[in-house]
Amino acid sequence: MCRPAILCTSKEIREVSMDLYGLLMHRFLLPIASHFTQINIWDEYKRMMQAERSSFDELKRCQFTKLKNIMIHAYEKVPFYRKRFIEVGLNPNDIQDDGNALPLPPTTKDDIMSHFPEGITAQGLDRSRWKYVATSGTTRQIMGIHDFRKANINWAAGLRAHKLAGNHDITKKWMEIPPHMCTNICGANDSGKEESFFSKELFFLLITGNLDGLRQHIYQYFYERRHSIYRRVTLPSFGAEGTNISENDLVYYINAIREYRPHLLEGLPLYLYTFAKYLRKRSIASPSVGVIKPFGGSMTSLMKETMRRAFGCDVCDTYGCSEMGFIACDCERHEGLHLFMDLYHIEVCRNGKLAAPGELGKLYITDLENRAMPWIRYDIGDVGRYFVDDHGCGRKSIRLQVEGRVEDVISNSKGKFFTSDQIFDFFHGFNELDNFQLVEKCKGDFELLCVPNEGAHIDKERIILKFRNFFDSDVSLKTYIVNTIKSEDGGKFRFIKSKSFKEI
Amino acid sequence: MNTSNIREDFPFLKRLLNEKPIIYFDNAATTQKPRQVIDSLTHYYENYCANIHRGIHTLSQESSELYEEARRRVARFINADEREIVFVRNTTEAINLVSNGLKGQGKILTTVMEHHSNLLPWNRTREVGYVDIDNEGRIDIDDLRSKIGHSTLLVAVSHISNVLGLVNPIHKVIEEARKRGALCLVDGAQSVPHIKIDVKDLGCDFLTFSGHKMLGPAGIGVLYIKEDIYERMEPYLLGGSTIKEVHIGEYVPEDPPLSYEAGTPNIEGAIALGTAIDYLEKVQMENIYSHDKFLVELALERMRKINKLEIYGSLDGKDRLAVISFNVKGMGCHAVAKVLNLRENIMIRSGFHCAQPLHDRLGIGPSARVSFYLYNTKDEIEVLAELLGKLAQFM
């Protein structure tokens, strides 16, 4: 029997309401809110999308101009940087775009923290609309400050990254699974209470006719509720169980994803990879997901391919950090992440000098837009490579390939570096291994924790032999069978722990 | 009390980080250890290391004697009988022991300000009621009176809040419990290190505290059980040490307190706790109380002057001892802790301090907490206040 045409299925109703929500948000609510609160994110967003169409030379020129401006600003306004410039005898006006590394020492996390706030922020600026930001890890927490403009640029850069990598926008459903173990019991997210809209403050602002205050009040109200506006829901992390959670827990996650049908599914790469492996192992139909994006860790090519096959959707990647914002994002070719050159300057350095394209190096990032608290040559702690060739996607910016944390890089007796991503993909090439952790106790002496796949036999000798062929013939490797790999304090995983890490 | 001399006894104070001394304000979590306590552990390992009780050989007998001597020291310290002292790992274990070992039905009454250790063990096994606090964090005695009834088996209350540092009217609470025939457990984790406690004067049935918060090592704690309450208790862990004889299918239990100390206990921990108590008694608890009171009042006075610093609980220094929780408006508590750490080596705690329901009750998120002890100084508080002032002014 045919259903009457006027009736819709619940799926259709959902889709129609989603379209209406999108229309309402895009055409009315957001432009009105944007105009009233002066957040200007739509203008910023349009400007950024235009920048994506610029030529490489235009991007370079824009980037260098902004770089010089922020260096001059830091020199003039920020005590920490001024001292740094003076120590190395550098006047920022003299900086040249000569293809060399910037002649200033990198800024470390400890530099930031030990001068925070007054030593590392710009003096003499209006601080009334500065916004404090912090990473949510419990052990290596670092904080920053964004002025109102930078906060809005970040917001717009987020929209840009989501649009360009995965065609996600503000109105589509978004599900995330962050790694933080300690969020609730330790209050590690520093979450404050959501203030009521109809508060004493609102009453006071209305009585006194304080329009600026009213704008801020409305901005703050919606900012605190941005997750609801984004239709963003959060699932709990794997917690203390480590990499290998129970099948019941896996089913819970899969069912939650299936039920919510997110356009964007974000999570720690290990989580998403675990779901993908489970779906494939049990031959379960994948939940409906528009696009998958990892965050909070590095995604290897093996992970990406496994996710793509299991979920049957595109897997996109972005790069950024809480203290700065979105820095780069994927394109449909998936050959590295395009740097937002209008917002950031990145140096990939090897032994203190600029690495050649494709060569592994440490990443130093300069935020071109944060005038409240400039980040110049910030040592973010990641390693990667950059590529300048035009690979034909239409975007001309340089591309980054981020390959994990610098402290997880190991080197063999010939001095060749191996990143955590390379090691991850190597060990996950063994069918019998579900998860692993490689610990370098001292140079050339390793322990390997192996979580076997269901019913699999671990042939330790074969693993040792292959590892010696892959890494170095002259290493010691002891293997141990375990049930799970525990996460670090903050809930993230380190699959390679290098004790002999040296400066790259 | 000569703080300079006391500081000489604490090796950690000689450590420099980035060429600056450490300012340790996380004493409510754990305290530093004096040389005497450290030496006591080493001395035990070097001379007496052996398992206690029932050993015929010299070392076992010496070790047993030292362990039992420690029990006597603890008993003297709180004016109890040595038979009333059960060694446990910590306050948490002590409360769990009571929760599982106390016979009889009835409701447990506790408060919303408690450490999770004085909430969760009760929740698991009993019906629990919660006494409210006022907006300044003080126990609402009227609410206690209205909730305590003849069906109340036990009232479990902390003597000093580990978040607010408020000294609860513990005599009043015990009096109310006794009026209704209820037992009373006092969580003394934050009070025993600072206040001269006399269990006979208090009149409580149980008192719990941890060695590591009073200069002793971690892993040793104390449960005081009033002797006549043993009749209403049964051991919840059985095994070695808890029995006089065992036959297949039956056993004769050991007398308390040994019947509550199953397995090999933390022998060296108990001995070192005895040394820590000696140290505290030598300094005199009255002096420690006055010193800690002075520090908290000074810190309160300085911190109250800082705009954008939100202090939780009563601002009257008379209500408090040794602990202040606060937030800098606009800056997360973990960030505050990190900045204090990196700029001036000030070690403080941030989070919910294992008292999330209290934070919920106060309508706040996580907080930063400073807590003082006998080796802290006025100058250290001035450094803290100055840096907090800079942070608050900036934000």
Side-chain angles (χ1 to χ4, degrees), chain B residues 237-392:
Chain B
L237 287 177
L238 291 176
S241 300
T242 63
I243 40 76
K244 285 179 175 161
E245 54 184 280
V246 181
H247 308 282
I248 297 302
E250 60 179 341
Y251 70 94
V252 178
E254 181 56 274
D255 295 326
L258 292 185
S259 54
Y260 290 88
E261 295 178 1
T264 299
N266 183 353
I267 305 163
E268 56 273 47
I271 294 168
L273 174 60
T275 310
I277 286 174
D278 279 352
Y279 189 92
L280 295 172
E281 285 184 328
K282 195 174 156 201
V283 179
Q284 295 184 21
M285 290 307 293
E286 293 77 3
N287 291 334
I288 294 169
Y289 173 82
S290 303
H291 174 77
D292 296 347
K293 192 87 184 153
F294 165 75
L295 292 182
V296 84
E297 285 180 1
L298 176 70
L300 262 183
E301 185 199 326
R302 295 285 188 275
M303 290 166 73
R304 283 173 66 176
K305 288 179 185 162
I306 301 172
N307 282 333
K308 295 192 185 172
L309 197 79
E310 202 163 52
I311 299 171
Y312 303 116
S314 165
L315 295 179
D316 189 339
K318 289 199 287 290
D319 293 341
R320 284 180 184 261
L321 194 62
V323 177
I324 302 172
S325 290
F326 64 95
N327 270 312
V328 176
K329 282 182 188 167
M331 191 171 176
C333 62
H334 299 294
V336 172
K338 198 83 181 178
V339 172
L340 294 179
N341 179 176
L342 283 169
R343 288 188 58 168
E344 293 294 346
N345 291 341
I346 302 173
M347 312 290 164
I348 71 162
R349 192 143 288 254
S350 53
F352 289 120
H353 322 299
C354 293
Q356 201 168 354
L358 173 59
H359 285 78
D360 290 346
R361 169 62 183 82
L362 296 172
I364 58 173
S367 58
R369 180 183 76 182
V370 289
S371 49
F372 315 118
Y373 208 24
L374 72 171
Y375 37 71
N376 291 128
T377 65
K378 177 177 178 290
D379 290 347
E380 290 179 328
I381 286 174
E382 299 294 357
V383 175
L384 169 78
E386 188 184 338
L387 186 47
L388 282 177
K390 280 183 189 168
L391 290 182

Side-chain angles (χ1 to χ4, degrees), chain A residues 110 113-119 121 127 130 132 134 139-141 143 145 183-191 193, chain B residues 116 330-336 338-339 342-343 350-354 356 363-366 390-391 393-395:
Chain A
D110 281 355
M113 302 290 286
S114 55
H115 292 85
F116 187 88
E118 74 275 12
T121 47
R127 298 204 300 251
W130 284 13
Y132 156 85
T139 50
R140 292 289 298 155
Q141 190 179 58
M143 65 279 294
I145 287 175
T183 302
N184 289 330
I185 207 67
C186 305
N189 60 354
D190 274 344
S191 59
K193 265 198 340 167
Chain B
H116 297 160
M331 191 171 176
C333 62
H334 299 294
V336 172
K338 198 83 181 178
V339 172
L342 283 169
R343 288 188 58 168
S350 53
F352 289 120
H353 322 299
C354 293
Q356 201 168 354
I364 58 173
K390 280 183 189 168
L391 290 182
Q393 185 190 16
F394 188 86
M395 302 310 290

Side-chain angles (χ1 to χ4, degrees), chain A residues 212-388:
Chain A
D212 278 347
L214 197 59
R215 283 188 178 123
Q216 282 197 45
H217 181 82
I218 293 170
Y219 173 85
Q220 193 60 29
Y221 180 83
F222 285 105
Y223 182 80
E224 284 168 1
R225 286 154 184 81
R226 64 195 183 282
H227 284 203
S228 307
I229 295 169
Y230 284 163
R231 308 170 85 194
R232 180 174 172 179
V233 296
T234 305
L235 297 185
S237 75
F238 279 15
E241 281 188 79
T243 51
N244 288 69
I245 58 172
S246 70
E247 182 151 5
N248 278 347
D249 287 343
L250 276 170
V251 169
Y252 156 79
Y253 282 111
I254 299 296
N255 286 345
I257 298 166
R258 195 182 300 286
E259 201 172 304
Y260 191 63
R261 300 165 56 88
H263 174 78
L264 172 61
L265 175 63
E266 274 194 325
L268 198 66
L270 184 276
Y271 296 170
L272 302 170
Y273 180 55
T274 302
F275 302 153
K277 284 196 297 184
Y278 178 71
L279 289 173
R280 298 196 72 194
K281 188 168 80 178
R282 295 278 186 261
S283 302
I284 297 171
S286 72
S288 169
V289 175
V291 61
I292 288 179
K293 266 188 213 168
F295 76 88
S298 182
M299 176 174 65
T300 74
S301 48
L302 176 73
M303 284 175 165
K304 200 173 203 176
E305 192 50 35
T306 309
M307 289 177 210
R308 186 175 291 137
R309 285 187 185 179
F311 283 92
C313 67
D314 202 3
V315 180
C316 294
D317 205 356
T318 55
Y319 181 59
C321 57
S322 313
E323 56 270 37
M324 288 188 174
F326 283 91
I327 293 169
C329 77
D330 228 348
C331 65
E332 63 274 15
R333 298 207 166 197
H334 304 301
E335 292 173 338
L337 312 179
H338 287 272
L339 174 68
F340 296 162
M341 290 175 68
D342 50 326
L343 305 180
Y344 298 95
H345 176 266
I346 286 196
E347 296 161 87
V348 180
C349 290
R350 188 77 171 255
N351 298 320
K353 293 180 179 165
L354 275 189
E359 188 184 16
L360 187 73
K362 278 183 85 170
L363 269 49
Y364 299 123
I365 305 180
T366 300
D367 185 334
L368 304 175
E369 295 289 355
N370 192 344
R371 297 179 73 79
M373 182 171 158
W375 301 73
I376 294 176
R377 301 202 81 217
Y378 175 52
D379 182 354
I380 196 167
D382 289 328
V383 290
R385 306 165 204 270
Y386 72 102
F387 304 91
V388 289

Side-chain angles (χ1 to χ4, degrees), chain B residues 153-170:
Chain B
L153 178 65
L154 178 136
V155 178
V157 180
S158 55
H159 192 172
I160 296 182
S161 159
N162 73 311
V163 177
L164 305 175
L166 300 183
V167 184
N168 287 322
I170 201 68

